[in-house]
Each structure stands twice: as C-alpha cells, then as structure tokens.
Amino acid sequence: MSNLVAIVGRPNVGKSTLFNRLTQTRHAIVSDEAGTTRDRQYGKCEWGKHEFSVVDTGGWVVKSDDVFEGEIRKQVQLATDEADLILFLVDAQNGVTDLDEQVAGILRGTKKPVILVSNKVDNNETWLAAEFYSLGLGDPYCISAATGSGTGDLLDLIIAKLPKNSDEMPDEMIPRFAVVGRPNAGKSSLINAFIGEDRHIVTDIAGTTRDSIYTRYDKFGFDFYIVDTAGIRKKSKVNEDLEFYSVMRSIRSIENSDVCILMIDATRGIESQDLNIFQLIQKNNKSLVVVINKWDLVEDKSVIVQKTFEQAIRERMAPFTDFPIIFASALTKQRIFKVLETAKDVYENRTRRITAGRLNEEMLPLIEAYPPPSIKGKYIKIKYCSQIPETHVPTFVFYANLPQYVKEPYKRFLENKIRERWNFSGCPINIFIRQK
Ligand code: GDP
Ligand code: GDP
C-alpha cells in the first residue's frame, strides 16, 4: 500500500515549489493531461525503488495574505489525521511567525512523524534556521526548494521515516472496489446496502499499521473486496466543509482499488469536489463506474432528464467519457445490484486481453486508411501493434518508424478505435508509440 506524505505550512513558504520538485519526474512521464490546478495538489514521488504520494495542502487555499487562518489549522489537522508523514515547511528568510507557531502546536500533538523543513536556504546559510528550534519539533532540516539543494537528503529522510508496509494484501485475483464521493453522497448507505446485515461477508482484513480495510463479499456470483478506509465508516463532520476533505479521505481507497464507484448526489449534480475525486481516480489509472445516487428524490425520471444528466457528467469528465453511469438509490436499494454487476464487468474489461493477431487484423487496415499526418514531408508508418501483457491498465504499443511525430490527437484516434471494437468501458487505456 502506498504511503501518503502531506506538505503543510502557512502560505508562501514554498509548499508548491517543493511539491513540484518532489513530483516532477512523475509529471514528466504522465504529462499527457493538461496542467490543471488540481495537478498541483496531489502527485506521486519516485525515489530510488520507493514511491509515495504527496499532497500539497496549500493547493486548496486561496492564495492571499489574509487567508483564513482557521482554515489552515483545519487542513493541518486533517492532513495529520490522514497522512503517514508530515512535512512542515517554514521560511528561513522570514523567521518564525504566529501562524508557524499555531501549526507547530497542532503537529506537536500528533504521533505521526513530522519533519520540520526550513526552506529558502539558498546559499547554505543554515544559521538562518536556528530559531525554528523553538517550535519544539526537533532539528529544522534546511533545503532550498527553488534550487533543489538538500532535497535529495530530505527524500532519504522521508523514506527512512515512512512506516514500512506491513499490510496484509488481499487475494490479487479478486477485484477490489472502492466506493468514493463527496460527503453525504451516500457512500456508507451504498456499502451498507451491499454488505449491511449480510451474512455472506467472508473476512475483514484490517491493516496493521492503519485503518484501511478490505471487506470480502462473496454472493450471487459476485466475489470482491470493498476497499473502505476508515474515512467512510468513521465520520468526522468537523472538516466536511473543506474542499479537500473528500480528497484526503479518498486517496487511500482509490490507490488500493481496481475499480472506483464514484457516487454523485443527484440532488446536487456534479461539483468541484466530485471532479477532484474523479481526477484522483484518473491519476491512479483506476477504472470507473459513476453512480447517480438518490435517484428516488428526483421527480422527473424521464429518459430526457437521464440523458441530460449523463451528458453533463461526460462533458465535465472529457476527454475520458467511456464509462458506465447508473441511476440508483442506496436508500431504496434500487439498482444496487446493477452497480455491482457493472463494477464486475468493468473489472473484466480492465483485464481484457486482445491477441496480437486480432489487434493487427482490425487496426492495421484502419491505420492504412487513416495514417498519422505526415510531418515535415516525412511519412509515418505504423507496421505492427500489440497489447502489453500483465499490465494493470490495458496498454497498447504501436510500432512506428518515427514515433516522435505521432501526436496526441492520433493516439486518441487509435484509442477510440480500440474502444469501438472491444469493450473497455470504464477503463483507462494507455497508448504508446515506439520505435520499430
Ligand atoms: P506556497 O504558498 O507555500 O505554496 O509557496 P510557493 O511554492 O508558491 O512559493 C512562494 C514564493 O517563494 C514563490 O515566489 C517561490 O518562488 C518562492 N520560493 C519557494 N521556494 C524557494 C526557495 O527555496 N528559495 C527562494 N529564494 N524562494 C523560494
Ligand atoms: P456518505 O457521507 O457519502 O457516507 O453518505 P451517507 O450514506 O451517510 O448518506 C448521507 C445521507 O443521505 C443520509 O441521510 C442517507 O440516509 C441519505 N441517502 C443516502 N443514499 C440515499 C438515497 O439513495 N436516497 C435518499 N433519499 N437518501 C439517501
């Protein structure tokens, strides 16, 4: 299970600069998506053979000097509840401020590892950091997020302090479903509807070091785990109004799942919180089923209203639009088995393998009829394609003479053609162009 590191601190100490530095290698690899602000809030950091997720709590606060201090305190509290390790950033060029002291007060109360990081030490003037000893969080660790100085050693320290993954892993052959969504979308109700008083629950595997739980469910031909971090069962209403509450609370479930069941409250429609979670699902390459819940409360259930709903959702989530949408009610249990059935289908799509023979038979004539546009008078030829076996996400490689000239729109074209021919509904698809 992946570890989660949260960067906290008052505005302008350099949180997003550090975040970018920690996540940049990964960003370069998955730079297909347009850079939205949400990209700056959650990412993956790879260091040696280690990987962990990073959240910049500042990404959710409006940048201004009079930013609501109470909000920052709540975020720090939430970050300490949810993350495995806290990077507390302070500004060496500015010295200790009131807000630093308030944040330190919260962090002194946590059992989680905290690293006090003194940023903006650009020229090795480490004496600047001396006054941060007074925060009572041990030695300040000096870095310059801007130049990168000290960040390698900081990464070593992070890895050393992160809890070791000792969680019992569930059976890999059994799909893991996560139920995610904003507060009050109906996640607990849906999970209860699935497994509530049911006697067919087989086991609970509780994480030894933290609260993530896989509940195995085995009935009517369904056999799966519900990935349920404590966030869903143990509610803490205090922070629910925070924009990044649902994000912090869904990261773990999403990271540990195969298929995410994203619940949207029909009475509210799709809002930025829903999109935040959707982005998390995408970033983690997970499969998706959208459930429009509380359908019982919608008076006009005509086909037109349904279509309008569906269209609005797909528009907001574009370019990824090939996923199932189900109108359900966790309360009346209307279509909840349909939700399970669909999640199971989507999992099967995720594991679908197309033989090279079939793939080339279908795709090569198409490519011949619609080849990639030539660039600088050079013709691009794709001679062969295949699906890479044993990947978590369906991944296709097309071999070309000039791979660098095959652009994003053409890859999307290839992806769409694959989707038209084979059922990959709900699943992301990776397309790579490689040198023959
Ligand atoms: P955040 O509000 O905590 O996310 O802070 P930012 O990352 O946006 O940085 C605030 C300002 O400090 C920006 O102008 C950065 O360029 C600057 N900054 C960040 N890190 C450093 C650093 O290591 N040295 C210096 N001199 N400036 C930095
Ligand atoms: P969570 O915060 O996402 O876990 O949401 P809950 O499952 O706690 O549901 C929040 C509220 O919405 C509760 O009062 C539920 O009874 C109600 N609720 C959940 N699903 C439905 C539904 O399908 N229809 C109606 N009418 N209410 C629902």
Side-chain angles (χ1 to χ4, degrees):
M1 177 150 65
S2 179
N3 277 307
L4 180 61
V5 170
I7 307 177
V8 308
R10 62 180 181 80
N12 288 315
V13 292
K15 293 185 299 300
S16 70
T17 310
L18 179 62
F19 174 85
N20 286 337
R21 195 162 274 289
L22 296 181
T23 56
Q24 66 189 359
T25 46
R26 183 60 173 246
H27 268 279
I29 296 166
V30 288
S31 63
D32 285 352
E33 10 167 4
T36 65
T37 48
R38 287 188 194 90
D39 282 348
R40 271 177 258 130
Q41 298 159 352
Y42 166 84
K44 307 262 181 195
C45 175
E46 280 172 38
W47 184 245
K49 53 183 181 358
H50 301 276
E51 185 185 279
F52 56 88
S53 305
V54 193
V55 167
D56 170 12
T57 58
W60 276 269
V61 192
V62 186
K63 272 207 178 182
S64 83
D65 287 338
D66 54 23
V67 61
F68 185 41
E69 295 188 4
E71 178 116 334
I72 292 179
R73 282 201 301 275
K74 278 202 222 163
Q75 297 209 158
V76 172
Q77 189 62 59
L78 180 55
T80 25
D81 287 347
E82 300 294 328
D84 296 303
L85 182 147
I86 315 295
L87 294 179
F88 174 27
L89 222 60
V90 290
D91 182 338
Q93 297 185 0
N94 239 309
V96 178
T97 70
D98 283 353
L99 198 46
D100 288 338
E101 274 167 1
Q102 290 179 31
V103 172
I106 299 170
L107 295 179
R108 283 195 300 269
T110 178
K111 290 193 181 72
K112 304 268 174 76
V114 176
I115 304 178
L116 172 61
V117 180
S118 162
N119 188 35
K120 308 197 186 179
V121 181
D122 297 340
N123 300 301
N124 229 10
E125 58 284 53
T126 47
W127 65 88
L128 284 176
E131 65 175 298
F132 295 114
Y133 281 106
S134 69
L135 294 175
L137 289 162
D139 293 351
Y141 198 88
C142 292
I143 65 160
S144 167
T147 69
S149 128
T151 50
D153 290 344
L154 176 63
L155 277 161
D156 289 338
L157 187 65
I158 293 170
I159 301 296
K161 289 198 172 211
L162 278 173
K164 297 292 163 277
N165 288 320
S166 55
D167 290 354
E168 212 174 316
M169 274 304 285
D171 186 337
E172 285 227 354
M173 301 305 290
I174 296 167
R176 298 164 303 164
F177 301 155
V179 178
V180 292
R182 54 177 304 145
N184 291 315
K187 300 179 293 297
S188 326
S189 306
L190 184 71
I191 290 175
N192 285 340
F194 286 162
I195 65 180
E197 301 87 349
D198 203 301
R199 286 193 217 94
H200 294 260
I201 300 170
V202 183
T203 43
D204 266 9
I205 306 175
T208 43
T209 49
R210 61 197 94 143
D211 304 326
S212 170
I213 296 174
Y214 299 98
T215 304
R216 181 140 170 210
Y217 181 89
D218 191 350
K219 195 185 171 193
F220 299 139
F222 296 119
D223 187 3
F224 59 91
Y225 291 104
I226 288 282
V227 189
D228 184 10
T229 61
I232 293 173
R233 291 182 184 170
K234 264 190 269 150
K235 295 209 174 195
S236 87
K237 293 275 179 206
V238 267
N239 284 317
E240 277 189 4
D241 55 321
L242 291 181
E243 172 85 12
F244 92 141
Y245 172 87
S246 44
V247 167
M248 283 304 277
R249 289 253 151 152
S250 356
I251 289 175
R252 285 265 161 66
S253 307
I254 293 173
E255 286 180 345
N256 293 298
S257 71
D258 301 302
V259 179
C260 296
I261 298 169
L262 172 58
M263 298 196 76
I264 290 171
D265 185 335
T267 63
R268 305 191 63 141
I270 190 156
E271 296 175 79
S272 66
Q273 290 218 36
D274 306 301
L275 289 173
N276 282 330
I277 300 169
F278 172 69
Q279 297 243 347
L280 277 181
I281 296 169
Q282 280 220 301
K283 278 208 169 165
N284 282 288
N285 278 316
K286 301 304 182 181
S287 296
L288 173 71
V289 174
V290 169
V291 173
I292 311 294
N293 189 39
K294 309 196 185 179
W295 195 237
D296 57 298
L297 295 179
V298 175
E299 267 175 39
D300 183 356
K301 297 184 174 64
S302 63
V303 175
I304 297 202
V305 171
Q306 284 200 22
K307 290 280 170 232
T308 314
F309 245 107
E310 287 192 10
Q311 202 182 341
I313 287 168
R314 289 192 210 283
E315 266 168 24
R316 297 297 295 275
M317 298 189 175
F320 181 51
T321 55
D322 183 19
F323 52 83
I325 299 176
I326 297 163
F327 297 84
S329 167
L331 194 72
T332 69
K333 305 200 175 181
Q334 187 194 18
R335 292 205 196 94
I336 63 150
F337 277 95
K338 177 83 183 156
V339 173
L340 279 182
E341 230 163 48
T342 310
K344 187 176 164 232
D345 290 347
V346 163
Y347 178 78
E348 275 163 19
N349 295 344
R350 191 175 176 82
T351 51
R352 187 176 305 289
R353 298 284 174 259
I354 316 297
T355 63
R358 288 286 296 130
L359 192 66
N360 284 283
E361 197 177 295
E362 294 279 344
M363 298 303 289
L364 292 186
L366 260 170
I367 292 168
E368 205 157 312
Y370 306 94
S374 59
I375 290 184
K376 298 179 195 153
K378 295 196 168 76
Y379 290 100
I380 297 142
K381 289 183 214 78
I382 294 175
K383 288 259 170 70
Y384 181 73
C385 51
S386 71
Q387 183 177 4
I388 303 182
E390 321 222 332
T391 50
H392 284 296
V393 179
T395 301
F396 297 87
V397 184
F398 291 77
Y399 294 93
N401 56 336
L402 296 163
Q404 68 276 25
Y405 288 153
V406 181
K407 301 291 182 218
E408 219 38 55
Y410 196 76
K411 286 200 211 166
R412 198 146 286 153
F413 163 80
L414 293 174
E415 175 180 337
N416 289 339
K417 293 300 163 193
I418 290 174
R419 289 186 189 280
E420 279 170 21
R421 275 156 188 78
W422 295 281
N423 188 355
F424 285 105
S425 172
C427 301
I429 289 181
N430 288 332
I431 305 276
F432 294 116
I433 318 287
R434 293 269 158 76
Q435 186 80 41
K436 177 69 208 160

